[in-house]
């Protein structure tokens, strides 16, 4: 358990997460950007706690934000809840303009529903042939996100403009995972030559204090990922 940030206000905050979960990283980043204090409670997803099962009885997954005893589940929902519950703390994740909000939600949904499945195949690939095919299938989605960055950022640093916004956090929770998978697969998902906007964005994003504090150690994540692949490659690791 660990406390983070400063001045939470509005009631006690607890975050149920798993250190390697990119979805939990999203929640940590949002809370950090808002400067909120919270108690972090690490969860074992292979031996789920009563608190997690009680707090998220439908999906039984992390993250779960508990605010004054009331749970908020699913990372995207948590991000918008944090943004709405503490509107005066730091720049908003979603813009005030309705069209801007709709655009941000569209690209956040695109990442989760359209980009993630082919990248997940790359992440789970255990042979060179599988990795080559999965990488080829993921590249068109990265091309779309590169165009989205140009559209959303309007020449500024982040999808959210001058400040980190919803799409930055949704995509950014996976950046360290991208790097780890690339290292093992010998790929370069956010290739600087092909996707200069996203490549530069990723480095800027990782340099943000709240992001840097939320991210796991890359070496530790790499070892975790190698262990995950070893289990997948074993006869019993077919799930």
């Amino acid at each position: 358990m660990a406390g983070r940030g400063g001045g939470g206000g509005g009631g006690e905050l607890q975050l149920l997460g798993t250190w390697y979960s990119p979805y939990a990283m999203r929640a940590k980043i949002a809370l950090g950007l808002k400067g909120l204090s919270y108690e972090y409670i690490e969860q074992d997803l292979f031996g789920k706690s009563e608190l997690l099962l009680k707090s998220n009885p439908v999906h039984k997954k992390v993250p779960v934000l508990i605010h004054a005893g009331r749970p908020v589940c699913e990372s995207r929902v948590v991000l918008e809840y944090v943004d709405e519950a503490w509107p005066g703390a730091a720049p908003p994740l979603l813009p005030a303009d309705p069209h801007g909000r709709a655009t941000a939600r569209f690209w956040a949904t695109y990442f989760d529903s359209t980009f993630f499945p082919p990248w997940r195949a790359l992440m789970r690939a255990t042979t060179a042939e599988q990795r080559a095919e999965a990488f080829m299938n993921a590249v068109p989605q990265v091309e779309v996100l590169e165009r989205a960055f140009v559209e959303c950022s309007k020449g500024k640093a982040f999808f959210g403009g001058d400040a980190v916004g919803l799409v930055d956090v949704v995509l950014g929770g996976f950046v360290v995972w991208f790097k780890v998978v690339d290292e093992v697969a010998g790929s370069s998902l956010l290739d600087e030559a092909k996707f200069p906007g996203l490549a530069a964005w990723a480095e800027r994003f990782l340099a943000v204090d709240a992001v840097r504090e939320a991210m796991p150690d890359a070496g530790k994540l790499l070892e975790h990922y190698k262990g995950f692949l070893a289990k997948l490659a074993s006869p019993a690791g077919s799930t």
Side-chain angles (χ1 to χ4, degrees):
M1 301 182 186
R4 300 286 259 225
E12 182 184 4
L13 278 175
Q14 295 173 311
L15 178 65
L16 311 186
T18 303
W19 70 269
Y20 54 82
S21 166
Y23 300 102
M25 290 177 215
R26 290 174 174 177
K28 289 181 179 180
I29 292 167
L31 291 165
L33 289 169
K34 295 288 187 178
L36 299 171
S37 296
Y38 63 95
E39 178 188 11
Y40 176 70
I41 306 175
E42 179 72 13
Q43 299 295 302
D44 177 2
L45 297 185
F46 298 96
K48 297 178 180 180
S49 70
E50 285 300 317
L51 180 59
L52 176 59
L53 296 175
K54 183 179 82 169
S55 301
N56 189 359
V58 176
H59 297 300
K60 305 177 179 65
K61 294 179 179 179
V62 297
V64 177
L65 181 69
I66 302 175
H67 182 201
R70 298 182 298 178
V72 181
C73 305
E74 301 297 303
S75 66
R76 285 275 307 279
V77 178
V78 169
L79 296 185
E80 295 206 31
Y81 179 83
V82 169
D83 204 34
E84 294 175 5
W86 292 275
L93 294 177
L94 281 166
D97 170 59
H99 185 268
R101 294 168 76 88
T103 300
R105 288 180 174 127
F106 173 86
W107 287 117
T109 300
Y110 177 88
F111 178 84
D112 281 343
S113 63
T114 305
F115 171 90
F116 178 72
W119 179 81
R120 182 178 183 270
L122 175 62
M123 185 265 288
R124 294 175 63 89
T126 56
T127 68
E129 293 77 11
Q130 289 173 351
R131 286 169 180 146
E133 180 180 1
F135 185 78
M136 181 179 66
N137 291 335
V139 165
Q141 320 309 326
V142 185
E143 292 173 346
V144 173
L145 288 174
E146 175 78 6
R147 294 195 296 271
F149 176 72
V150 173
E151 173 192 325
C152 295
S153 67
K154 298 179 173 62
K156 297 180 179 178
F158 300 105
F159 281 91
D162 289 320
V164 170
L166 178 73
V167 184
D168 297 286
V169 179
V170 167
L171 175 54
F174 281 78
V175 169
V176 175
W177 266 104
F178 292 162
K179 292 177 178 288
V180 165
V181 172
D182 278 347
E183 183 167 343
V184 172
S187 55
S188 181
L189 189 70
L190 304 185
D191 183 80
E192 186 176 359
K194 294 180 180 177
F195 310 115
L198 286 176
W201 163 83
E203 297 309 312
R204 284 193 299 270
F205 183 76
L206 290 175
V208 174
D209 287 344
V211 174
R212 191 166 57 247
E213 292 171 4
M215 292 297 178
D217 176 77
K220 181 181 177 183
L221 187 61
L222 177 61
E223 290 308 308
H224 169 80
Y225 178 51
K226 287 179 177 178
F228 170 78
L229 288 179
K231 290 179 182 177
L232 278 184
S234 70
S238 58
T239 57

